[in-house]
Amino acid sequence: MSILDDFRSKEFLDQITILNEVAGSKDPQTLPGLIDLLKVPVGDTSIDYMVVNALNAVLSQDPERTVRGLSDEHAGFRTLCIRVAGEHRFEQAAPVLASLAENEEDPDRLMEVLTSLAHIGDPATLPTFRKFLNNEDPFIQALCIEALGKLNDHDSIPELKGLVEESEAPERYEVCEITTWKSIEALASIQTDDTLRFLVDKLHHKNPTVRRIITDAMISIGSPVIPLLLEAFETGDDDHKVLAANVLGFIGDKSCADGLVAAFDKGLAETPNVRYALYEALGRVGTMKGIICLVDGLNETEELTLMAVITGLEKHVNPGMVNQLTKMLSAADDQAERLAKAIVNARATRLFDALYESAGAGDMLVDALAESRDQEVLDEFKGLLVEIGGARADEDLARLPDLEESTRKALAADDSRSMCAMHRAILTDLGFEPFIASNGQEAFEFIERGEDFDIILTDMNMPVMDGMELVGKIRNTPGFEDTPIIMVTTESEGSQQSLAEKTGVTTFITKPFKPHDLKTKINDLLA
């Protein structure tokens, strides 16, 4: 006698109780009754749904019956068996599923079969995934690409590389297709010297979303790709050097910093944007050689580059660094002013605390602080001076202003801490209340919360959500159709700016830039 006897004649609540009990017990004796209820439903949506769940639970304990069900005449039961076989990785189902795929013409059913095969992950099914690698349905194609990557199929490497190559065609590069995304992940998963070298070569892909996917893959791979990235830094153009330095900084291995310092010593970081990226990367890693290189960077005169140097040094304060900065600040010359301003704008409180002991260096820092128009920065350093205490600190506190609340708001998004600090300083100088985000998703969250902005600044290349995707989402948000958007980029290719303009960017500025240049752009846009 089965618990499902006379099931159809029972009350609704009793039926629910019985099906919950069956799902929990997974009693194989209930299988015939459940199959009958699936093929001839009771007609109540809730009950019919619970029948499927209970049948799934019971079949999960019966691979043999599940495999037989793959050939059942009833489409619903056959589909359920396909899903159960994949969900529970029944290896004995793989040959039957492969045979089904070979003869399946309906795209939806084929997707079901291939999904189940992908979950099982049997290397013997590689020919099946290769067969559908160029299917006209992009989702079927993407599923096969993903499966081939997980199965480490070296034979598919040329075709996967070809798909990425094709994605840079003039009529295709504007959109990151799912097949491109999955091909990159598959190549990264297969992880041969050939596939890694190819991905490094494509680090400056025409599409920013593809660049982000490749960057994420490189960071995830880590050590094996470091030599190739260092080679790219030495042999690539400026755009490639910038992107390679960024990835090396995020990988954070000692060899990354040593390789970048060696490249710097060879004179391979001559342009400001490459030096900026190199200093940013060295600050993230923090090796002794890297810190020495950053200390040498204290002589940089470009404000943004100097900000990257200070931001990097703030994480690794040591006596030698403090002595060098003390001498330079005490000189009270133009470079001392630049350094003091960079320390304040970068909110380098550890450096400030160490340097304040020297009257000459401390006076330069407080002079720079008194000129800040950022109340949040002022409050942070005021708190530090209160902690330091004493008559001199009290006098310096009295010199610092209390600012009026800003009436205009601006949003800035960049994954670089030094760039964010520079944006903040520029925006507060212009009288804006700044909202700062480290990626496009964080930036868009401010808009979703109901914040309104007079102007928006965004980097092009960012993790999580890049600038291009952010701009597209902003332009599709009511009320932001005409908000001025400035894209900050290191890009030199005209195709990138053209794509950004189509997305909705108002104008561009290339980093590293002089604060005056960005201020002028903002004032011109809002005039």
Side-chain angles (χ1 to χ4, degrees):
M1 182 175 179
S2 169
I3 193 175
L4 292 174
D5 289 347
D6 299 323
F7 179 85
R8 297 176 188 276
S9 64
K10 296 185 183 296
E11 296 292 330
F12 176 78
L13 292 177
D14 291 335
Q15 291 177 332
I16 289 178
T17 302
I18 291 169
L19 291 172
N20 278 329
E21 185 178 333
V22 170
S25 68
K26 301 177 183 178
D27 183 358
Q29 293 186 8
T30 62
L31 194 54
L34 288 172
I35 294 173
D36 177 67
L37 288 169
L38 176 74
K39 294 182 176 181
V40 186
V42 298
D44 184 287
T45 304
S46 301
I47 299 299
D48 293 339
Y49 177 77
M50 291 185 70
V51 166
V52 172
N53 285 342
L55 188 50
N56 188 318
V58 176
L59 285 172
S60 71
Q61 305 299 306
D62 194 341
E64 184 180 339
R65 184 64 186 91
T66 302
V67 172
R68 290 208 312 273
L70 297 175
S71 305
D72 197 273
E73 293 182 358
H74 188 271
F77 183 57
R78 188 169 62 248
T79 299
L80 179 61
C81 289
I82 291 170
R83 293 173 180 173
V84 170
E87 181 182 349
H88 299 284
R89 293 176 170 80
F90 292 159
E91 293 184 5
Q92 56 268 59
V96 181
L97 288 168
S99 177
L100 289 175
E102 291 287 335
N103 301 303
E104 186 57 73
E105 297 181 357
D106 181 86
D108 291 335
R109 287 196 295 269
L110 177 60
M111 189 72 174
E112 291 276 7
V113 173
L114 291 173
T115 299
S116 184
L117 272 177
H119 284 310
I120 294 170
D122 184 352
T125 60
L126 276 172
T128 302
F129 292 114
R130 290 182 193 137
K131 175 181 177 178
F132 295 102
L133 187 55
N134 292 305
N135 191 276
E136 61 183 17
D137 186 319
F139 292 102
I140 290 176
Q141 191 179 7
L143 174 63
C144 292
I145 292 169
E146 185 175 18
L148 291 168
K150 289 180 178 178
L151 290 169
N152 200 31
D153 182 34
H154 289 218
D155 290 345
S156 67
I157 290 174
E159 199 151 1
L160 295 174
K161 289 165 63 176
L163 289 169
V164 179
E165 293 277 10
E166 291 167 11
S167 70
E168 288 195 285
E171 69 278 5
R172 293 182 59 182
Y173 80 89
E174 294 186 4
V175 177
C176 175
E177 298 170 350
I178 188 172
T179 50
T180 307
W181 165 29
K182 291 299 180 182
S183 294
I184 291 166
E185 290 188 341
L187 290 167
S189 179
I190 294 170
Q191 207 175 122
T192 65
D193 182 73
D194 179 34
T195 64
L196 296 184
R197 190 173 293 278
F198 175 80
L199 291 176
V200 171
D201 288 343
K202 291 299 176 183
L203 200 53
H204 193 248
H205 192 282
K206 288 182 179 180
N207 184 282
T209 303
V210 176
R211 288 200 295 274
R212 187 182 78 217
I213 295 167
I214 294 175
T215 295
D216 290 344
M218 296 290 96
I219 295 169
S220 178
I221 291 167
S223 297
V225 82
I226 291 173
L228 299 176
L229 287 166
L230 289 171
E231 181 183 321
F233 188 90
E234 295 208 5
T235 60
D237 60 18
D238 281 359
D239 287 330
H240 221 92
K241 287 180 179 179
V242 168
L243 292 169
N246 288 342
V247 178
L248 288 164
F250 281 115
I251 290 175
D253 190 271
K254 178 180 180 295
S255 62
C256 298
D258 291 347
L260 287 172
V261 171
F264 188 84
D265 291 340
K266 294 176 185 176
L268 298 175
E270 295 179 350
T271 58
N273 61 330
V274 175
R275 287 204 304 279
Y276 167 78
L278 184 142
Y279 289 133
E280 280 259 310
L282 293 179
R284 289 192 182 105
V285 182
T287 64
M288 184 57 68
K289 286 183 180 179
I291 293 170
I292 292 171
C293 188
L294 285 168
V295 171
D296 291 341
L298 292 172
N299 292 301
E300 295 282 349
T301 55
E302 289 280 351
E303 292 178 73
L304 181 55
T305 306
L306 194 58
M307 187 81 80
V309 171
I310 293 297
T311 301
L313 290 176
E314 165 71 359
K315 301 174 184 177
H316 314 287
V317 176
N318 65 54
M321 173 201 313
V322 172
N323 288 337
Q324 179 66 17
L325 270 168
T326 299
K327 290 178 184 177
M328 297 181 76
L329 287 168
S330 298
D333 54 13
D334 289 346
Q335 187 64 7
E337 290 183 8
R338 293 188 193 99
L339 286 168
K341 188 174 181 181
I343 290 169
V344 168
N345 289 337
R347 300 165 85 162
T349 52
R350 293 180 64 205
L351 280 173
F352 187 101
D353 191 20
L355 293 165
Y356 187 74
E357 294 179 13
S358 166
D363 287 345
M364 289 297 297
L365 292 171
V366 175
D367 286 346
L369 188 56
E371 294 177 3
S372 175
R373 304 271 67 86
D374 189 333
Q375 190 62 55
E376 191 172 311
V377 168
L378 285 165
D379 289 342
E380 188 167 353
F381 282 100
K382 282 179 181 180
L384 179 56
L385 287 169
V386 169
E387 286 181 21
I388 293 171
R392 179 173 154 233
D394 290 341
E395 290 176 8
D396 288 336
L397 276 167
R399 293 175 53 196
L400 302 182
D402 287 314
L403 307 175
E404 294 182 5
E405 189 174 340
S406 302
T407 57
R408 299 190 298 176
K409 294 181 180 180
L411 173 63
D414 201 295
D415 61 324
S416 160
R417 186 182 166 201
S418 56
M419 191 72 243
C420 286
M422 178 66 80
H423 282 325
R424 187 178 189 93
I426 290 169
L427 293 171
T428 52
D429 279 352
L430 292 175
F432 289 96
E433 179 186 355
F435 290 73
I436 308 297
S438 63
N439 58 63
Q441 182 172 299
E442 285 184 12
F444 193 69
E445 285 173 1
F446 285 121
I447 292 173
E448 289 182 310
R449 287 181 217 152
E451 295 289 351
D452 196 14
F453 298 104
D454 296 275
I455 195 159
I456 296 170
L457 315 176
T458 179
D459 190 18
M460 178 179 283
N461 300 308
M462 295 183 289
V464 186
M465 182 191 293
D466 58 68
M468 216 80 80
E469 187 178 350
L470 171 63
V471 173
K473 290 175 79 71
I474 289 172
R475 288 302 187 218
N476 285 317
T477 301
F480 286 86
E481 295 87 351
D482 300 315
T483 302
I485 299 177
I486 300 175
M487 179 163 277
V488 185
T489 178
T490 60
E491 300 300 321
S492 61
E493 293 183 8
S495 62
Q496 302 303 301
Q497 292 198 3
S498 174
L499 177 55
E501 286 171 349
K502 290 179 182 179
T503 309
V505 172
T506 311
T507 189
F508 301 85
I509 189 165
T510 302
K511 62 182 176 183
F513 52 81
K514 296 185 183 301
H516 172 76
D517 296 334
L518 181 54
K519 288 179 181 178
T520 300
K521 276 189 179 289
I522 293 172
N523 285 331
D524 288 346
L525 285 172
L526 298 180

